[in-house]
Amino acid sequence: MPFDLDLQSIQEMRDALQKAKEAQQKYLAFSQEKVDEIVKRAAEAAAAKSLELAQMAVEETGMGVVEHKKMKNDVGSLAVYESIKNEKTVGIINEDRKKRIVEVASPFGVIAGIIPTTNPTSSAIFKALIALKTRNGIVFSPHPRAVKCSVAALKICLEAAVEAGAPDGIIGWISKPTMAATTELMRHRDIDLILATGGKDLVRAAYSSGKPAYGVGPGNVPVYIEKTANIQKAVKMIVQSKTFDNGTICATEQAIVVDKNVKEMAVREFKKNGAYFLNKQEKSLLEKVISPLPGHLNPAIVGQSAVKIGELAGISVPVDTTILIAEETRIGKDVPFSIEKLSPIFPIYTAESYESAKELCVKILNLGGMGHSLSLHTDDDKVAREFALEMPVSRLMVNTLSSIGAVGATTELMPSLTLGCGSFGGNITSDNLTARHLINIKRMAYGTKEVDVPKPSSKSPAPQWIASNQVDEIVNQVLNNVNGAGQLDSQVISELVNQVLKKYQMN
């Protein structure tokens, strides 16, 4: 009788984990030079298949745009490699000769890697490379709806790594993933760290597993068009960013906040860039498609084009429509346009003042993007710096595409497909995760300061309490000293007790 899918998946996970653990023990002996060669070969192999993997991802998931997924694969492979290739991750990685402190890199061990359906190949490549760079083993649980393309990407990385000399099994995966197997993987005794990218329930499960975990939260990203912005450039960037891979990057703009002084101009530019503004009836139809249940996003719209989403809602839009926009004033779980949509749909909010704009941005972030990212278009650097100081986000992209700017494509931020949200979003880090987050740093410190430790004073304070057996002993000593002395003199007894107590104080 065949095993059910959960049992097959769990057994496959255990086998992959055992192989990864054995391989990681061998990998510990590798030099920095050998590790770097392995990472390079794996990155180059993945980049060579970037387009093919992008095509597989779109075909399997039905989400996104092939050309854009290829760009994400290039970021996850070559851009990530370039950013980590010179980092020391083996042996002594830093030495301060003046302070006489030596820092030594030590891998975590075996990592559990969770891959989302929105970035199924780029995230797989990225996590495999940073694990290889740090001498960690890694076992992946792909999303069930993207398992073929994710496994294809991992096989490319593993085969290239093994060909370059890495131990076989250093990268592993579950080819028949189930929630039961994923949960057991995260809780398994041989897992030392979790890299979780996915829905909030999965990330919450990672944090509750009892293991150290890097989990990233949702990104309900506001974009503020401030009155001094170059409106033409700002709108073009926003549309390009929102349509990039049909909005599947978590750092993509989700809600437009525009100063009332420049709103008319902004609306005109959005229309020039293919935006379709919904009337009240159309907005009502689309709301039901965005969120059939309050606070819950309809997965059928994720990564789809504006035209296709319009069809799902029964709305006829021009074939060259890039994004769908509706006027909005409210923010809440029961307001479909205000939640994270992961698709080319925007609410547009009018800010009556600069302070009002800041309040709107914070409310949007509070709905599901706290700690993630915020996009700002302004020519006033004072405004940018005020936002940086006041907004509860880990990344603030100024005058660029938020979606790919956050992952390092149009900014100098560290290239990464896993973006920390800091304590604002319940994460342990606010960084763009990379290789340095996957090593422990041991520190050897030499003595540099001479210290004379003072001896205890001979006049120590009297003890605050005396154990009952000590009291009995004192009484016995007193009685022995006065044995046969006839009537006891209280002054004599008091003196004798004090003498005995002094002996205990000295001991």
Side-chain angles (χ1 to χ4, degrees):
M1 189 175 92
F3 290 110
D4 67 25
L5 184 57
D6 277 342
L7 292 177
Q8 291 180 57
S9 185
I10 289 170
Q11 188 58 55
E12 185 184 23
M13 177 275 293
R14 290 173 179 169
D15 292 343
L17 189 49
Q18 184 177 347
K19 282 189 71 175
K21 185 177 181 181
E22 292 170 357
Q24 196 268 334
Q25 289 299 307
K26 296 175 185 175
Y27 201 32
L28 284 172
F30 282 45
S31 66
Q32 184 74 72
E33 293 72 23
K34 190 61 178 173
V35 166
D36 290 346
E37 177 62 22
I38 289 167
V39 175
K40 180 182 180 183
R41 295 275 288 276
E44 290 174 345
K49 297 288 186 179
S50 182
L51 178 58
E52 183 181 321
L53 290 170
Q55 291 168 334
M56 288 182 66
V58 172
E59 182 180 338
E60 184 178 6
T61 66
M63 297 179 186
V65 180
V66 169
E67 292 79 6
H68 299 171
K69 286 199 181 295
K70 180 187 182 300
M71 286 179 65
K72 288 198 285 190
N73 289 339
D74 290 339
V75 170
S77 56
L78 294 180
V80 167
Y81 170 69
E82 287 296 323
S83 71
I84 64 175
K85 67 179 183 181
N86 295 322
E87 286 211 25
K88 293 181 179 179
T89 56
V90 179
I92 294 174
I93 59 173
N94 189 41
E95 182 172 1
D96 188 326
R97 295 186 180 278
K98 184 178 180 181
K99 294 182 178 180
R100 303 201 71 193
I101 293 177
V102 178
E103 295 181 336
V104 179
S106 176
F108 274 83
V110 181
I111 298 169
I114 313 300
I115 309 173
T117 186
T118 48
N119 303 301
T121 54
S122 53
S123 285
I125 295 164
F126 158 69
K127 289 177 180 177
L129 292 182
I130 62 174
L132 287 172
K133 177 69 175 180
T134 49
R135 296 179 299 157
N136 288 292
I138 187 163
V139 175
F140 287 93
S141 177
H143 194 283
R145 288 190 289 140
V147 65
K148 291 180 182 177
C149 60
S150 293
V151 169
L154 295 172
K155 281 183 177 177
I156 290 168
C157 292
L158 176 61
E159 288 171 4
V162 171
E163 194 175 308
D168 192 17
I170 195 68
I171 299 170
W173 54 81
I174 308 170
S175 65
K176 298 177 182 178
T178 64
M179 197 60 205
T182 302
T183 301
E184 183 166 328
L185 171 67
M186 292 191 292
R187 294 177 177 173
H188 199 283
R189 64 180 179 276
D190 290 334
I191 287 296
D192 301 291
L193 177 72
I194 300 170
L195 271 179
T197 309
K200 61 182 181 181
D201 290 339
L202 191 144
V203 171
R204 190 179 296 117
Y207 278 126
S208 63
S209 67
K211 303 284 185 177
Y214 290 119
V216 297
N220 200 18
V221 179
V223 52
Y224 174 37
I225 306 174
E226 195 263 340
K227 63 185 178 184
T228 66
N230 182 320
I231 304 301
Q232 187 177 11
K233 284 185 178 180
V235 169
K236 184 178 180 180
M237 286 182 181
I238 292 167
V239 173
Q240 287 182 330
S241 182
K242 186 64 167 172
T243 55
F244 184 84
D245 206 29
N246 286 339
T248 53
I249 294 182
C250 56
T252 302
E253 300 90 336
Q254 295 295 329
I256 301 165
V257 177
V258 59
D259 273 339
K260 67 175 182 178
N261 312 58
V262 294
K263 181 181 177 182
E264 186 177 333
M265 193 187 314
V267 169
R268 187 166 60 246
E269 287 300 321
F270 274 115
K271 289 179 178 178
K272 284 183 183 179
N273 282 270
Y276 182 86
F277 281 77
L278 303 163
N279 60 36
K280 288 185 178 180
Q281 182 183 2
E282 291 169 333
K283 179 187 176 186
S284 179
L285 288 171
L286 190 52
E287 284 175 333
K288 295 180 177 66
V289 173
I290 294 171
S291 181
L293 294 172
H296 293 273
L297 177 65
N298 180 2
I301 70 168
V302 174
Q304 304 305 313
S305 69
V307 174
K308 184 171 180 180
I309 294 170
E311 290 174 358
L312 291 172
I315 302 169
S316 179
V317 302
V319 294
D320 60 350
T321 298
T322 54
I323 56 177
L324 304 172
I325 301 179
E327 292 277 355
E328 190 56 87
T329 57
R330 299 183 305 127
I331 298 168
K333 288 183 178 180
D334 61 337
V335 183
F337 274 85
S338 69
I339 66 173
E340 184 185 30
K341 294 160 289 298
L342 296 173
S343 54
I345 303 171
F346 267 132
I348 186 166
Y349 296 90
T350 304
E352 296 295 324
S353 66
Y354 176 56
E355 290 303 319
S356 169
K358 289 194 288 186
E359 290 174 9
L360 283 166
C361 286
V362 171
K363 286 179 180 178
I364 293 163
L365 289 167
N366 269 321
L367 188 57
M370 190 62 74
H372 204 291
S373 304
L374 185 142
S375 179
L376 172 65
H377 291 270
T378 180
D379 276 349
D380 188 339
D381 197 51
K382 181 182 176 184
V383 168
R385 290 175 183 272
E386 282 186 12
F387 262 68
L389 289 169
E390 296 178 25
M391 291 296 111
V393 292
S394 302
R395 278 156 297 277
L396 175 63
M397 274 66 65
V398 182
N399 299 333
T400 190
L401 289 74
S402 181
S403 57
I404 56 177
V407 301
T410 64
T411 66
E412 295 303 315
L413 293 174
M414 182 63 71
S416 175
L417 273 300
T418 303
L419 311 179
C421 299
S423 60
F424 307 108
N427 298 169
I428 194 63
T429 182
S430 57
D431 294 342
N432 283 17
L433 265 73
T434 186
R436 68 176 66 110
H437 296 93
L438 304 189
I439 54 173
N440 295 297
I441 298 178
K442 301 186 290 185
R443 291 172 178 84
M444 177 171 68
Y446 289 84
T448 59
K449 304 165 188 174
E450 295 294 330
V451 175
D452 285 329
V453 178
K455 294 180 179 180
S457 171
S458 59
K459 296 182 179 180
S460 301
Q464 297 300 307
W465 56 272
I466 300 175
S468 59
N469 61 333
Q470 291 177 309
V471 173
D472 292 341
E473 189 176 337
I474 292 170
V475 172
N476 288 334
Q477 289 187 39
V478 171
L479 291 175
N480 288 336
N481 276 287
V482 298
N483 190 29
Q487 183 146 7
L488 297 177
D489 187 310
S490 60
Q491 289 186 343
V492 172
I493 292 176
S494 176
E495 180 61 30
L496 290 171
V497 170
N498 284 330
Q499 289 177 8
V500 175
L501 284 175
K502 285 180 182 179
K503 290 181 182 179
Y504 277 93
Q505 290 170 1
M506 294 173 64
N507 292 335

